[in-house]
């Protein structure tokens, strides 16, 4: 079974994806980490002429070992850098094969990101599109960062998330919209357990329907 989980920044898709992967015992790829790692690799040239080339080179040379320093990868700054490298077509192209291979491994997989159900794996068995209003998303991300002992400026964080949403929506290479066959799950009023229960119900229902003669 292949599960695709997409949605905007801090919508709760990462936590949900982890819970679903555990529940169904599927290998999980957080594709945002790929863009974050590349953004950080090119950070020294941010807003300078060599930025694009540095990002493309980093994408072509990406190895999974770079994804282990979760602390730095999950900062708000890495998120903004990620959305800057994510608009570069050659970066997305370089990451496409890596993500496809992961999705098509025997036994299935779960991937979360922005374009999994639309571009990376349009044939996924179940597609979820996770949504939550901007304030709830900011508050969640703020608490996540605070739990890790990082200082949080909520006003700045709100603007970073909005800036990222806008850049993502305008991305000419991304299929960052809800796939036609994706199930919408709004988590604004749901805690982690309730959101996971709702997602499991959708997956079970969809797979049961597929198994019908
Ligand atoms: O967890 P959060 O939603 O805040 O961010 P993320 O999923 O780690 O993604 C960070 C950024 O990477 C996004 O704002 C997108 O610009 C980019 N991204 C992408 O272009 N395509 C993906 N499949 C995943 C992330």
């Amino acid at each position: 079974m292949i599960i695709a989980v997409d949605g905007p920044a801090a919508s709760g898709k990462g936590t949900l994806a982890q819970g679903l992967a555990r529940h169904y015992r599927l290998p999980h790829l957080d594709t945002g980490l790929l863009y974050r790692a590349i953004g950080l690799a090119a950070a020294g040239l941010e807003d300078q002429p060599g930025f694009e080339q540095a990002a493309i080179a980093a994408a072509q040379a990406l190895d999974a070992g770079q994804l282990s320093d979760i602390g730095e990868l999950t900062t708000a700054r890495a998120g903004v850098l990620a959305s800057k490298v994510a608009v570069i077509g050659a970066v997305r192209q370089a990451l496409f094969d890596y993500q496809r291979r992961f999705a098509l491994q025997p036994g299935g997989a779960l991937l979360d990101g922005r374009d999994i159900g639309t571009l990376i794996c349009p044939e996924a068995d179940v597609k979820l599109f996770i949504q939550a209003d901007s304030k709830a998303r900011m508050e969640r991300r703020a608490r996540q960062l605070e739990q890790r002992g990082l200082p949080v400026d909520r006003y700045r964080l709100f603007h970073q998330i909005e800036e990222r949403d806008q850049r993502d929506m305008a991305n000419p290479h991304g299929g960052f919209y809800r796939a036609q066959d994706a199930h919408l799950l709004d988590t604004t009023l749901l805690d982690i357990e309730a959101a996971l229960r709702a997602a499991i119900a959708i997956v079970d229902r969809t797979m049961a329907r597929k198994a019908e003669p």
Side-chain angles (χ1 to χ4, degrees), residues 35 85-90 92-93 115 119 168 170-176:
Y35 292 91
V85 300
V87 297
I88 305 168
R92 303 199 78 81
Q93 191 51 47
D115 57 351
L119 299 177
D168 285 347
N171 189 329
H173 310 287
F176 294 173

Side-chain angles (χ1 to χ4, degrees), residues 52-70:
E52 198 167 312
Q53 281 318 313
I56 295 169
Q60 285 166 348
L62 182 83
D63 95 88
Q66 278 171 274
L67 307 179
S68 52
D69 184 5
I70 296 293

Side-chain angles (χ1 to χ4, degrees), residues 5 21 24 40 50 62 90 110 171 173 183 189 193 210 212:
V5 181
Y24 293 105
L40 286 174
L62 182 83
L110 184 148
N171 189 329
H173 310 287
H183 301 268
L189 301 174
E193 284 75 30
K210 280 194 156 211
E212 278 168 15

Side-chain angles (χ1 to χ4, degrees), residues 9-10 13 31 36 83 86 92 114-115 141 164 168 176:
K13 64 184 183 314
T31 62
R36 286 167 180 266
S83 70
R92 303 199 78 81
R114 297 286 189 292
D115 57 351
R141 187 48 52 90
R164 216 139 58 81
D168 285 347
F176 294 173

